[in-house]
Amino acid sequence: QVQLMESGGGLVQPGGSLRVSCAASGSIARLIALGWFRQAPGKERELVATIGSGGGNIRYADSVRGRFTVSRDAASNTVYLQMNKLRPEDTGVYYCNGQYYGVHYWGKGTLVTVSS
């Protein structure tokens, strides 16, 4: 089993930066790929970024590539999403995601609001 706990959401102005974090715990937490999805109001949940168990195999959605950076700390088994040059369309609930042999694990989500 894996438990995922996000932190760091909040309100930020357009063009600003924000970092969200997700601490993974559980028996297989160190073995799983981690990442972030988001869901805007009235829209489906979408992939933002993922990172493999060893810190490689990084993938980004086209809409965030060049602005967001996903990283992972092996010692604390925490995944980070550094978000720069934020836009109003980046607003949504950001969910931490873990994947292991096709099984998905989810955090409860943290709200990111980009607004002036």
Side-chain angles (χ1 to χ4, degrees), residues 30-109:
R30 296 186 182 278
L31 304 177
I32 64 174
L34 292 171
W36 295 92
F37 285 65
R38 68 185 180 189
Q39 187 166 18
K43 295 188 177 181
E44 294 185 354
R45 193 174 298 188
E46 63 176 359
L47 169 74
V48 177
T50 60
I51 185 168
S53 58
N57 197 23
I58 292 174
R59 184 160 60 115
Y60 294 102
D62 290 342
S63 60
V64 307
R65 188 175 291 111
R67 300 187 297 123
F68 290 12
T69 302
V70 64
S71 61
R72 181 169 185 162
D73 178 69
S76 62
N77 214 29
T78 299
V79 62
Y80 302 96
L81 184 68
Q82 176 67 44
M83 302 181 286
N84 299 326
K85 300 179 181 179
L86 282 159
R87 305 167 180 168
E89 54 263 39
D90 294 317
T91 294
V93 178
Y94 282 68
Y95 294 93
C96 185
N97 169 265
Q99 298 184 41
Y100 188 66
Y101 285 98
V103 178
H104 286 255
Y105 302 89
W106 296 97
K108 293 183 177 180

Side-chain angles (χ1 to χ4, degrees), residues 3-28:
Q3 294 78 44
L4 303 171
M5 181 170 293
E6 303 98 337
S7 60
L11 173 65
V12 62
Q13 292 187 342
S17 298
L18 195 67
R19 189 177 79 161
V20 290
S21 305
C22 171
S25 61
S27 58
I28 60 169

